[in-house]
Each structure stands twice: as structure tokens, then as C-alpha cells.
Amino acid sequence: MADKEAGGSDAGPRETAPTSAYSSPARSLGDTGITPLSPSHIVNDADPDVSEQQSFLVVVAVDFGTTSSGYAYSFTKEPECIHVMRRWEGGDPGVSNQKTPTTILLTPERKFHSFGYAARDFYHDLDPNEAKQWLYLEKFKMKLHTTGDLTMDTDLTAANGKKVKALEIFAYALQYFKEQALKELSDQAGSEFENSDVRWVITVPAIWKQPAKQFMRQAAYQAGLASPENSDQLIIALEPEAASIYCRKLRLHQMIELSGKAAVNGYSGRDTVGAGFAQAKEHTRRNRQSRTFLVENVIGEIWSELEEGDKYVVVDSGGGTVDLTVHQIRLPEGHLKELYKATGGPYGSLGVDYEFEKLLCKIFGEDFIEQFKIKRPAAWVDLMIAFESRKRAAAPDRTNPLNITLPFSFIDYYKKFRGHSVEHALRKSNVDFVKWSSQGMLRMSPDAMNALFKPTIDSIIEHLRDLFQKPEVSTVKFLFLVGGFAEAPLLQQAVQAAFGDKCRIIIPQDVGLTILKGAVLFGLDPAVIKVRRSPLTYGVGVLNRYVEGKHPPEKLLVKDGTRWCTDVFDKFISADQSVALGELVKRSYTPAKPSQLVIVINIYSSEHDDVSFITDPGVKKCGTLRLDLTGTSGVAVPARREIQTLMQFGDTEIKATAVDIATSKSVKVGIDFLNY
């Protein structure tokens, strides 16, 4: 089989394709048009090779979060033990977790220096003038979600305003995790651990578009976690799916139920939010020392109440995004089926930080805050850290104020900038619920803090309301609240108030690590998710016989006396259609001109369902199969040569193949959303 893409040197004279992806394939590519062989048949069969597992000694999952990141692992010989990474140096008061901030520091020469607490603390200790030369980045993951036209060249902006390539930063970060994990594994095993022994799992939000998911894979290749030749070594897992897998294993003592329907752990529903969480935190704190979590090889109690066909929603609320996924149980193995394509949006806890920044602008002036961030970037980072730990202390029933320490350089720089004191600004600003305390702190009333949460929480509730309106979602039994932001009592209370009467609301205890542990379980058994919804419609551009009255006249192309309709979008799979993992969709085509020896098949995608032509708005080219059949003249070829095209839907990747049936010549291509 010729796996390499056929070269074009001996293919005879051909016009080169114009750069626009939307011109007619037939006109632009000379004689390379294809037409469906009728009748077009679809065969949905899973590829037999999918089940063959490569043998890895260990699965390492990386939760690359917007605000914090971490990894966990499990040896394939003892899959019931999940180990969460070692404690990190550094750490914040009031923030206990097993993850590290997603912050990265590059030297003035743009070389990797440090990651996490180490990066933050080093940057913070630099002299302000020196700090301006260093490149410090935080919360950069959101850029992949918000960039409409993501490419391998997309830039990120460091705290000092300088630009760096996003791919480099993501690769540096993943490389750092790779080194840390391999070091820890080697220490544990007492011998050198090779990367080839590891199956890697990286989690991404389900609502990310395909280019962002592909970008993560490219960054992982650059970091050396896997390679395009050995792509199975890396699985891209969707965050809510990972959470869903972990939630299946929950025992009653490992979660808190927020609804007043039943007493949990001897607490009635009304006490549960406060008291149950305090108890859970204490329990988690005791377990922290161990770092190893036993996942009993059973289905948890909650899960055993679910029957065939039952539905549940996973609400994954993290730092940057909130992801909603609806799953349905398929018995007997308890496989999961995605019922409704993932939805959500940029409503993570970052929204609360943004509101705090708006509040500071209101009090001290936007011009000052902008200047301060540029001139004293490390002090700005300090201020946001101070806010973060107070943010975690916000609760619905809190009555005493929250104090936020202003860094000395803030107070000092403000006086230089404005000519009057911070205290004066607060008095003058008529923001009455924020006062100045004599210890040099901003004193916020609980109402003021709650107001900062409101826009983000409102967006989440609004989004959930929309979801619950959908017919597929109307009979949901459980709502699992997971992700770092799920720790916020204000969010718990809002979800409980809005949906407590519709379904049971469950929060796993170590809610910030839910995704990480689920991702490890997914890496151990990737076949657990059986059916996903395709986020896009896929098809290829073909020529059809022109039918008067049916086809638009501007699409008419006459070749050798045959009337063709060009630019037809021949659909392989529709957006939101169920796709089984590993499923193959086949179509057969024939060259529009029998003598044609170079066959070009262009693959297109669209978010819309009803696509007729590749020139329709929103249709994007995402792959090209070039089958070169020169030099096969000795083979007896039927008058209508059959070219079979297959698309296989994998984890977050799609592979396409074209085969010439007469000669078995074939080409393969991965669908590419970044380079077209």
C-alpha cells in the first residue's frame, strides 16, 4: 500500500489550484473531478484494528487547566490505584490543592525557565526593571478557545506585552509535565522510565472547536509525548467525559448530595452545603498525605441506581470554560453514549477575576490599572493571588467582610500616578461596599464579593436552563457538578436553587481532581465511551450529472459533451449525528473522466447540517486526498474505475483514506483544521 501522499512530478501537465478553497474543484483542478458511483453505499463497521491495544506500562493524564494544572497516573498492572502527582514547591495560603498554577516563565532570551509556583515566585522576586525583560504568561489556555482562526502561528502576549508563539508555550508546558512525570515514575520504579512505556492522556474542554483540539495534539508532538507515526500513544480526552467516567465509580462517602431529598452521611439536605462540605474537606485533607486514590473496581452506589437509558448531565466548571455534556447509560457494560453535543461557553471562574478588575478600574481609574499592569506586572500578579484566596472564602451565608491586601507597590505607584492616596480614591469613588481598612487592605462586604460572582453564575444557570429545555434532556436523573469552580458555594447554591427540583445534584468530594482521575481511567480503558456526537458535518466535493431545474445554472460545467453540476457537497456525516468510536463511513466514486490518472478528493466541513454545495457559507476545506494512479496502466481497469473513500472517526481525530479498487493503491490523510 502506498501510504505516502503521491507526488505530483510525473502526473502530467495540470493546472495548479487557485488559493481560494471555495472555487470549483472540477474547474480548478483540470480533469480531477470525481462523481459518486451510484448507488452510493454506506457501510458502518468499526475497524477491527481499533481494539488492538498497544501495551503501555503506565497511563499518565495531564489536566492542562486555564488556572491550574496537574497530572495523575496509574500502572496498568494495578489500575485500581490512581496516584496524584507529588506535592509542588510553593503554594498559596488558603488554596490547598494538588495542582499547580498554569503559569510559565521564559528568560529574556525566550528559553524555558520555570512553570507553576516556581515561575510565579521567581518572577515576583525579580527587580521591577529586570522583570520587564522576562516573559511571564498565565491563563493562556483560553486563547485557544477565543481565537476564531487558530493556526500553528497564533501568538500569545506575555505580561510585559511581548508576543510569543502559542505552540511553543503549550509545548514547553507539556514538556515540563512530561519531565516531571517521568522523573517521579523513575524514582518510584527505581529505574529509568522511558517515554515509550507511557500512554499519555491530555484533557481538553468538550466545547473546543476541532482546530483547538488538533493544536493540543501538535503541541504534544512537539513536546515529545508522542509522534504522528505513533499517534495512539496520546489520547485527547474531553473533560466532561473524563469526569463522567470517574463519577461512575463514586461511593456514597465520596460525594455530597445537594438536594434536600435524602440525608447523606447523616446530614439532612439543608445542612449539607456547609457542614457536609466542611466534613468532606477535612476528610480530603487527611487523605492528602496519601496521594493515592483507590478506585474500587465496582460501579458506585449512585450509579447502580441508574438504569438502561437513564440520562445525566455533567457540568464541568473550571477556570476558563463551563462545559455541559449529557450522557446516557447503555447496559450491560454501562458504556456511555453522548446524547446531546457538548455545549457551554467561557463562563469559568476567570469571569469573577474580570469583574474584580472592572471594580478596581471603577475605583482607581482604568488608565491607572492598565499602566500598573504594564509597569509593575509582578505586583499585579500578587494582587490577583490575594484576590484568589479571598474569592475562595466567599459563601452565601457569610456576614463578615473579606479583606484583600493591596501590594505596597500598588499604594506607592498610585500616589505617584495620581498625586493622592488610595484611601482618598476609595472615599471619592462612591463604591460604598468597598472600604479601606487601616491595615492597608481593601475591605469588601460579602454582598460586594457576591456581586462579582453574579454575572458568571448567571451565565451558567442561563445556559443550563436552555439545555434543560431540549427534549433529549428533559428527563435527566442526576446533575454532576465538577471542576475547580464547582468548589464555590455560591455556584453550588445557585445550581441547587434552580434545578434541585428537577434532578439530584451531586458533587464529588475532591471535585478539583475529578477530571484528572477520570482521564486516567479513560486512558486505561478508552473503549468506555462508545458513542459521540459529531460536532461538524463532513463531506467531499463532487460532480453530479446536471439536472435542469434542480441545479443552479451557475454550477453547470460541460465536459466532453457531458453536463455536470460542480461544487456538490457529498455528505459523509451530519453535525450532531451519533458516531460510534472507530466507525468507518465508506463511499465509492469514479473519475468524471475515465482516462484520468490523478484523482484529487477534497474534504470539507461545516457546522451546519443542511449543506448542498461546498461554496455554501460556513463550509471550510479540511483535507485533501491525492491519489496518483500513473504507472498502473498494465492493470485491467473496468470502464468505471471505483475509488473507495473511507472516513474513520476516532477519539478527537478523523482519518480519511482513498483506495483504487482495481490496483489497491491508497493514500491516507488526517483531517487538518489548522493548515487550510
Side-chain angles (χ1 to χ4, degrees):
M1 277 208 174
D3 268 357
K4 293 206 171 50
E5 201 164 299
S9 52
D10 53 358
R14 234 181 34 254
E15 299 164 47
T16 48
T19 44
S20 157
Y22 306 116
S23 52
S24 311
R27 287 192 189 114
S28 62
L29 289 164
D31 295 336
T32 55
I34 52 167
T35 182
L37 260 182
S38 50
S40 176
H41 60 286
I42 307 177
V43 187
N44 291 355
D45 51 2
D47 188 333
D49 307 343
V50 173
S51 55
E52 272 181 47
Q53 288 297 320
Q54 241 176 305
S55 54
F56 296 104
L57 296 178
V58 66
V59 168
V60 181
V62 179
D63 177 2
F64 193 126
T66 306
T67 45
S68 64
S69 296
Y71 66 86
Y73 57 92
S74 175
F75 293 98
T76 44
K77 282 199 176 60
E78 35 170 21
E80 61 288 342
C81 287
I82 297 178
H83 310 268
V84 175
M85 64 188 204
R86 307 192 245 228
R87 286 300 305 216
W88 295 64
E89 68 296 341
D92 290 335
V95 181
S96 71
N97 60 10
Q98 301 247 298
K99 287 159 112 187
T100 186
T102 308
T103 51
I104 195 166
L105 182 63
L106 307 187
T107 65
E109 296 75 47
R110 296 176 173 250
K111 291 275 168 284
F112 175 80
H113 179 273
S114 46
F115 187 90
Y117 291 117
R120 221 179 56 187
D121 298 344
F122 185 92
Y123 182 60
H124 172 255
D125 294 341
L126 286 169
D127 170 76
N129 287 323
E130 205 184 340
K132 285 182 202 152
Q133 305 308 311
W134 289 67
L135 290 93
Y136 178 79
L137 294 103
E138 58 177 0
K139 299 172 185 160
F140 47 84
K141 178 179 164 190
M142 276 306 277
K143 180 84 181 201
L144 296 199
H145 179 67
T146 52
T147 307
D149 49 351
L150 186 68
T151 68
M152 306 294 253
D153 293 323
T154 296
D155 284 324
L156 296 172
T157 309
N160 62 359
K162 292 196 171 132
K163 293 210 178 320
V164 263
K165 292 269 169 279
L167 192 66
E168 263 172 51
I169 296 299
F170 279 83
Y172 275 144
L174 290 170
Q175 195 175 345
Y176 175 76
F177 277 112
K178 175 185 153 189
E179 283 163 14
Q180 292 294 319
L182 287 175
K183 205 152 79 199
E184 182 173 341
L185 289 166
S186 300
D187 291 352
Q188 258 208 326
S191 61
E192 199 62 26
F193 229 86
E194 297 295 326
N195 187 60
S196 54
D197 297 331
V198 181
R199 161 169 263 161
W200 293 94
V201 181
I202 300 175
T203 59
V204 300
I207 49 167
W208 270 16
K209 295 217 177 348
Q210 293 298 44
K213 293 174 183 168
Q214 186 186 334
F215 187 93
M216 229 18 174
R217 188 169 269 282
Q218 291 300 333
Y221 290 161
Q222 195 160 319
L225 271 66
S227 63
E229 297 72 47
N230 199 1
S231 61
D232 294 345
Q233 193 178 355
L234 168 68
I235 298 177
I236 302 282
L238 305 181
E239 287 163 10
E241 281 188 356
S244 183
I245 293 165
Y246 180 66
C247 288
R248 304 174 46 174
K249 301 272 188 185
L250 285 174
R251 308 304 301 255
L252 284 176
H253 62 83
Q254 295 171 310
M255 62 201 169
I256 295 122
E257 179 156 4
L258 285 190
S259 32
K261 296 214 169 129
V264 179
N265 295 346
Y267 284 97
S268 74
R270 281 177 300 290
D271 319 334
T272 313
V273 174
F277 230 74
Q279 182 201 29
K281 280 205 169 117
E282 176 55 29
H283 177 80
T284 315
R285 199 180 58 73
R286 283 203 301 272
N287 283 4
R288 274 275 145 67
Q289 283 29 62
S290 71
R291 283 183 34 244
T292 298
F293 295 85
L294 281 173
V295 179
E296 297 164 56
N297 207 354
V298 294
I299 297 279
E301 283 110 331
I302 279 269
W303 210 262
S304 53
E305 292 180 31
L306 287 168
E307 292 147 22
E308 166 86 52
D310 275 352
K311 305 168 189 174
Y312 60 96
V313 180
V314 176
V315 180
D316 168 19
S317 45
T321 49
V322 167
D323 247 356
L324 313 176
T325 306
V326 187
H327 279 162
Q328 186 175 34
I329 310 292
R330 297 170 70 190
L331 297 176
E333 320 86 338
H335 284 139
L336 309 184
K337 174 178 178 181
E338 187 183 357
L339 261 201
Y340 185 73
K341 68 169 179 240
T343 60
Y347 319 127
S349 58
L350 279 185
V352 184
D353 301 359
Y354 178 63
E355 289 298 317
F356 177 62
E357 194 179 316
K358 282 202 326 212
L359 178 68
L360 291 175
C361 289
K362 199 166 158 186
I363 299 169
F364 303 109
E366 202 170 327
D367 53 344
F368 166 71
I369 296 294
E370 285 311 308
Q371 271 305 302
F372 180 69
K373 279 160 94 172
I374 293 164
K375 293 281 193 291
R376 298 279 184 276
W380 172 255
V381 169
D382 255 11
L383 174 56
M384 290 316 279
I385 292 167
F387 173 68
E388 179 67 31
S389 85
R390 299 327 296 143
K391 180 169 105 181
R392 287 167 184 267
D397 45 5
R398 193 185 170 102
T399 49
N400 48 339
L402 295 121
N403 293 323
I404 295 161
T405 312
L406 283 181
F408 169 73
S409 65
F410 186 97
I411 298 168
D412 182 53
Y413 193 69
Y414 184 77
K415 200 167 171 77
K416 284 192 185 124
F417 190 88
R418 286 269 189 262
H420 59 242
S421 69
V422 162
E423 201 179 341
H424 177 81
L426 272 161
R427 272 206 307 274
K428 209 179 76 218
S429 73
N430 65 42
V431 175
D432 48 358
F433 39 73
V434 182
K435 301 273 180 276
W436 176 248
S437 79
S438 51
Q439 296 92 32
M441 296 188 181
L442 280 183
R443 175 166 287 178
M444 291 180 78
S445 72
D447 288 352
M449 182 56 102
N450 296 1
L452 299 181
F453 277 80
K454 194 172 163 19
T456 303
I457 290 179
D458 286 353
S459 297
I460 294 172
I461 298 296
E462 176 78 14
H463 212 95
L464 269 166
R465 282 223 167 90
D466 288 352
L467 185 67
F468 272 90
Q469 304 287 297
K470 303 273 186 291
E472 301 97 323
V473 188
S474 53
T475 52
V476 162
K477 260 203 185 170
F478 292 101
L479 186 154
F480 290 102
L481 198 52
V482 303
F485 195 29
E487 290 170 6
L490 290 163
L491 177 60
Q492 293 173 14
Q493 191 203 36
V495 171
Q496 172 59 29
F499 306 105
D501 57 343
K502 292 191 175 60
C503 57
R504 289 168 62 185
I505 295 163
I506 308 283
I507 303 180
Q509 254 176 22
D510 41 356
V511 62
L513 299 174
T514 307
I515 290 161
L516 202 43
K517 294 178 192 171
V520 174
L521 293 171
F522 186 44
L524 291 165
D525 179 18
V528 60
I529 301 273
K530 277 287 187 267
V531 178
R532 287 219 175 100
R533 298 269 157 177
S534 172
L536 297 168
T537 297
Y538 292 97
V540 299
V542 301
L543 297 170
N544 272 347
R545 291 294 172 102
Y546 188 83
V547 180
E548 281 305 338
K550 178 184 162 193
H551 292 137
E554 68 274 13
K555 299 285 183 198
L556 174 63
L557 175 76
V558 181
K559 265 198 172 172
D560 306 333
T562 309
R563 294 159 64 84
W564 296 104
C565 175
T566 70
D567 299 341
V568 176
F569 185 102
D570 190 37
K571 205 184 285 188
F572 265 68
I573 201 148
S574 297
D576 212 20
Q577 190 175 331
S578 293
V579 189
L581 206 65
E583 183 169 319
L584 283 175
V585 181
K586 297 183 189 174
R587 292 272 195 289
S588 287
Y589 300 102
T590 189
K593 191 174 173 188
S595 59
Q596 190 174 313
L597 287 176
V598 174
I599 290 144
V600 176
I601 299 174
N602 287 313
I603 303 167
Y604 298 88
S605 67
S606 167
E607 289 181 15
H608 306 295
D609 215 2
D610 46 342
V611 189
S612 307
F613 295 101
I614 60 170
T615 48
D616 290 355
V619 176
K620 290 191 170 72
K621 183 167 163 184
C622 58
T624 299
L625 286 162
R626 236 181 120 260
L627 193 54
D628 186 346
L629 300 177
T630 45
T632 56
S633 49
V635 183
V637 175
R640 298 187 68 191
R641 188 168 202 150
E642 184 181 351
I643 307 292
Q644 201 175 64
T645 307
L646 307 100
M647 266 194 207
Q648 184 177 12
F649 295 84
D651 60 354
T652 43
E653 290 194 294
I654 296 162
K655 297 188 175 72
T657 314
V659 186
D660 173 36
I661 298 299
T663 62
S664 305
K665 242 191 174 183
S666 73
V667 287
K668 282 186 182 169
V669 65
I671 301 292
D672 185 346
F673 294 96
L674 292 172
N675 297 315
Y676 280 96

